[in-house]
Amino acid sequence: MSEPEQQSASQRWYSLALRAQRHRIAASFDRLLAPAVLYDRVRPHSYQLRVVEQVLREKAPAAILADDVGLGKTIEAGLIYKELALRGLVRTALVLAPKSLLSQWQQELREHFDEDFVLTDEKRFRGFEVEPRVICSLPQFVRSFARINSHSWDCVIADEAHLLANPASRRRQCVSELRSAWRLLLTATPVANRITDLYSLIDLAVPGRLGTQREFEAEYVADPGTCRVVRPDRIADLRNLAREHMCRTRRSDTDIAFAGRAVDTRSISATPAEDALISDVTDYLRVLFRRAPVGSSKVNRGAVIREIMALQQSLSSSPQAIECSLRARAEKHPEERGELLALADRCAAIVSAKEATLLDVLAELRDEPVLIFTLRLETAARLREVIRARGRSAESYIGALSRSERETLVQRFNSGGLQTLIATDAGAEGLNLHQRCHIVVNYDLHWNPMRIEQRIGRVHRLGQSRDVRVLNFVLHETIDDYVVRLLYQKISLFTMTVGALETVLSEVQEGEFDLEERILELLLQADDRTKLRREMAELGDDLLSARERQTAAESLTAEVLR
């Protein structure tokens, strides 16, 4: 028997095994356990529960979750996994996702499903052979495939699965070879570019079910050259075939009414002293960047880049934050002590222009509850001090607080006993403040758009009865100003649905590309502001092109599948 024939026979046997398992387990899911267990953590919509039931009762043990963007495919996948875990059907699980979405997955699984998954780049990661629950980027998955596939997994979840549609790609081949009992593929655009994308994903979920790609094209494709038109006489058959293996909810199928979102970005002129400090610290960071090791010292270079990123975030946050960071670095690097302390000494006399603007905004808002986000503890402490001095109640919600302390703060804020909550991102997981608050202030910005969306999501979530107001503070003609105007506003980030944002980032950050690191490199390699603006605008064009491709893919998917 030839190798292709052996492969085909193997796929057929695997497909038959999947069908047998489906019939064996379907009857056991007459009543779902997960919704009751997770009642205090997540309240799924009725359509999400229908998807979970369909997968477990009809499509097990493999399915494609293809809801429209923003409808919560992550929640559906988490519910399916939790249901299987509660019943003892899965112990090991592997989540595959683009690099930009890894932290988002970890937070969602922890916050909503009480499941601790480890990221492969965390210090606590002990290896694929040891860890039972892992979240891994697609590039890392390909590089580590031999170790990952040294044993079978109970459940594999692949997010943004349209990135696996190309049958010639190494990542697609690795996923197809991966041994797993359950397999969930998530994508809002199962027909992203060609009708054969649909074939590829179904074949990845249930190998051999559709025969060969050539046979599929002969049966369903009207334009073999481009594969974008279905034969008119086979449209109904193709849609029925898709429904056999796919769960797809359209936005029009739901009764969800999300609150609107109004965005106000304040580009604030820095004081002369503040502007000079930012310029001089940036020059220092450029020197650090140029000294960072290259070539064989990639790991060390990565550590230097992360340290530079932390310093830059402190610089963007407040004079108090960068002063603290500079003094801490001076303790570790005595050879730079004089330069670092001279810069730090200048910080003490500076009051940020953003601080004055914030106080004016809070005065205008009077008694309205406000959620303020900042990157640094020092900034949170400073803002609490100056806000209280103006007679407005304020507290900091930070990672160091105990669980009871956090619960007390949330209760005070939601009940009206606290006007201002100042949160760091480390302390913001699990915050639900939409009952009373509809105003979010990004006092400083993350360069990772998903982190911005997570902030806004603390008040812009189901049950919010008022339009959400988002205020972004940036200093004029600084890197944060360029990030907002040339990147975020270009793709309408602040009004984009979460699913659409994830898809755009998954495409632009494919491979080892990291948006935050790319922005940092542009800042530190640019000789002047004109060059920096130009290169940031080019990066914005890349993001806009990705969004336009996503929109086209959504249209093609809707045309083929409805």
Side-chain angles (χ1 to χ4, degrees):
M1 186 181 292
S2 67
E3 185 175 342
E5 289 173 332
Q6 288 176 337
Q7 265 189 337
S8 179
S10 175
Q11 288 177 334
R12 284 196 296 271
W13 278 111
Y14 183 67
S15 180
L16 287 171
L18 292 181
R19 294 188 195 181
Q21 185 172 353
R22 180 186 304 171
H23 289 300
R24 185 174 70 252
I25 65 177
S28 65
F29 293 101
D30 56 333
R31 183 176 63 87
L32 297 180
L33 305 178
V37 171
L38 301 171
Y39 185 78
D40 291 332
R41 290 180 174 270
V42 62
R43 306 286 177 86
H45 300 290
S46 58
Y47 71 83
Q48 291 173 323
L49 291 175
R50 285 197 301 271
V51 167
V52 175
E53 291 169 347
Q54 287 176 12
V55 170
L56 296 174
R57 297 173 184 173
E58 303 168 17
K59 307 182 191 304
I64 302 168
L65 308 185
D67 292 352
D68 278 350
V69 294
L71 294 186
K73 292 181 289 295
T74 305
I75 296 296
E76 293 168 356
L79 283 168
I80 293 167
Y81 164 78
K82 189 69 174 185
E83 189 72 29
L84 296 172
L86 288 171
R87 296 169 183 270
L89 295 174
V90 303
R91 188 187 69 84
T92 60
L94 175 65
V95 175
L96 303 174
K99 188 176 180 181
S100 59
L101 308 182
L102 301 182
S103 297
Q104 174 81 359
W105 265 98
Q106 185 183 49
Q107 180 177 335
E108 291 277 324
L109 288 166
R110 182 187 299 132
E111 177 180 331
H112 296 307
F113 302 103
D114 195 25
E115 293 287 344
D116 184 25
F117 277 65
V118 63
L119 302 177
T120 57
D121 61 356
E122 288 185 278
K123 290 183 179 179
R124 64 184 178 124
F125 178 63
R126 299 168 296 171
F128 293 101
E129 304 86 352
V130 179
E131 297 290 352
R133 293 174 296 278
V134 179
I135 300 174
C136 180
S137 71
L138 291 172
Q140 180 69 50
F141 168 69
V142 172
R143 288 196 303 270
S144 307
F145 181 68
R147 285 184 290 136
I148 293 173
N149 206 36
S150 63
H151 63 284
S152 62
W153 296 81
D154 296 330
C155 181
V156 170
I157 300 171
D159 197 10
E160 302 296 339
H162 53 273
L163 298 174
L164 305 172
N166 181 1
S169 69
R170 177 61 180 155
R171 61 190 173 200
R172 166 63 161 79
Q173 294 166 3
C174 288
V175 174
S176 68
E177 295 172 18
L178 194 61
R179 292 177 294 160
S180 62
W182 290 78
R183 184 172 294 182
L184 301 175
L185 307 179
L186 282 58
T187 175
T189 53
V191 192
N193 297 298
R194 298 156 58 91
I195 297 168
T196 48
D197 293 344
L198 180 62
Y199 165 85
S200 184
L201 292 181
I202 292 177
D203 189 63
L204 190 59
V206 188
R209 171 66 179 85
L210 304 182
T212 67
Q213 181 170 318
R214 182 174 297 179
E215 292 170 340
F216 176 84
E217 290 183 24
E219 189 165 358
Y220 295 105
V221 175
D223 59 333
T226 57
C227 291
R228 296 179 66 86
V229 180
V230 183
R231 285 176 47 184
D233 60 323
R234 300 311 307 273
I235 290 178
D237 292 334
L238 181 61
R239 289 172 178 166
N240 288 333
L241 180 66
R243 281 193 287 269
E244 183 181 338
H245 303 284
M246 180 185 301
C247 298
R248 176 166 167 78
T249 305
R250 302 296 306 277
R251 191 168 282 272
S252 58
D253 299 329
T254 74
D255 57 358
I256 298 177
F258 286 106
R261 189 184 288 186
V263 181
D264 178 7
T265 297
R266 306 285 178 94
S267 185
I268 304 160
S269 296
T271 65
E274 188 174 21
D275 188 58
L277 176 70
I278 291 171
S279 178
D280 291 345
V281 173
T282 301
D283 286 342
Y284 168 75
L285 297 181
R286 287 192 174 107
V287 173
L288 281 187
F289 180 75
R290 291 172 188 139
R291 292 205 313 247
V294 295
S296 60
S297 301
K298 182 178 178 181
V299 174
N300 292 335
R301 179 178 174 81
V304 173
I305 295 298
R306 286 191 292 274
E307 187 171 4
I308 295 174
M309 177 68 76
L311 287 166
Q312 172 59 46
Q313 288 180 335
S314 291
L315 182 62
S316 294
S317 187
S318 70
Q320 293 74 30
I322 189 58
E323 178 183 3
C324 182
S325 295
L326 290 170
R327 295 191 187 282
R329 182 171 174 82
E331 292 296 318
K332 296 180 181 178
H333 298 272
E335 73 281 5
E336 301 175 6
R337 182 177 177 84
E339 179 183 8
L340 290 167
L341 291 182
L343 289 169
D345 288 343
R346 291 164 57 184
C347 299
I350 296 174
V351 175
S352 176
K354 291 193 298 183
E355 182 181 301
T357 301
L358 175 64
L359 294 175
D360 289 342
V361 167
L362 293 178
E364 294 171 6
L365 293 173
R366 298 179 182 274
D367 294 330
E368 283 278 9
V370 178
L371 174 63
I372 301 172
F373 274 104
T374 181
L375 291 163
R376 292 289 179 260
L377 291 170
E378 299 81 16
T379 309
R382 169 70 180 183
L383 294 181
R384 182 179 64 176
E385 174 188 325
V386 297
I387 291 171
R388 285 177 171 180
R390 290 291 185 94
R392 183 182 174 98
S393 59
E395 293 290 351
S396 298
Y397 189 97
I398 59 178
L401 296 178
S402 68
R403 181 173 180 176
S404 62
E405 288 172 326
R406 295 186 188 203
E407 291 175 349
T408 298
L409 277 184
V410 170
Q411 192 277 330
R412 283 181 59 196
F413 188 74
N414 284 337
S415 66
L418 180 63
Q419 294 171 301
T420 318
L421 197 62
I422 308 159
T424 60
D425 293 279
E429 289 187 12
L431 270 178
N432 293 315
L433 305 176
H434 60 286
Q435 299 172 6
R436 176 168 172 258
C437 180
H438 70 107
I439 301 173
V440 178
V441 176
N442 289 310
Y443 189 79
D444 43 36
L445 288 177
H446 262 292
W447 294 349
N448 181 340
M450 289 305 303
R451 300 298 293 273
I452 293 291
E453 183 55 41
Q454 288 166 11
R455 288 177 169 186
I456 300 171
R458 300 305 96 197
V459 301
H460 195 192
R461 55 202 306 120
L462 190 67
Q464 175 60 261
S465 60
R466 305 172 66 181
D467 285 349
V468 171
R469 184 179 178 188
V470 180
L471 291 92
N472 304 310
F473 288 2
V474 294
L475 294 177
H476 185 60
E477 290 295 311
T478 62
I479 183 63
D480 290 335
D481 192 20
Y482 300 150
V483 167
V484 170
R485 289 193 288 112
L486 302 177
L487 296 187
Y488 293 170
Q489 289 182 358
K490 183 167 285 190
I491 62 171
S492 302
L493 165 75
F494 295 103
T495 55
M496 192 186 298
T497 62
V498 176
L501 174 59
E502 290 173 348
T503 301
V504 168
L505 291 179
S506 70
E507 180 175 336
V508 177
Q509 297 191 189
E510 185 178 345
E512 296 302 322
F513 185 95
D514 186 283
L515 187 61
E516 293 172 279
E517 291 180 8
R518 175 72 179 277
I519 292 171
L520 183 66
E521 288 192 0
L522 292 181
L523 169 66
L524 300 180
Q525 289 175 344
D527 298 325
D528 54 54
R529 288 178 174 176
T530 300
K531 181 180 179 182
L532 178 58
R533 278 196 301 269
R534 183 176 66 251
E535 294 187 344
M536 287 290 290
E538 290 174 358
L539 180 56
D541 290 339
D542 290 342
L543 286 169
L544 183 59
S545 295
R547 177 159 196 189
E548 289 171 347
R549 288 192 294 272
Q550 175 215 348
T551 300
E554 290 174 2
S555 297
L556 181 59
T557 293
E559 180 182 340
V560 173
L561 299 179
R562 283 188 185 161

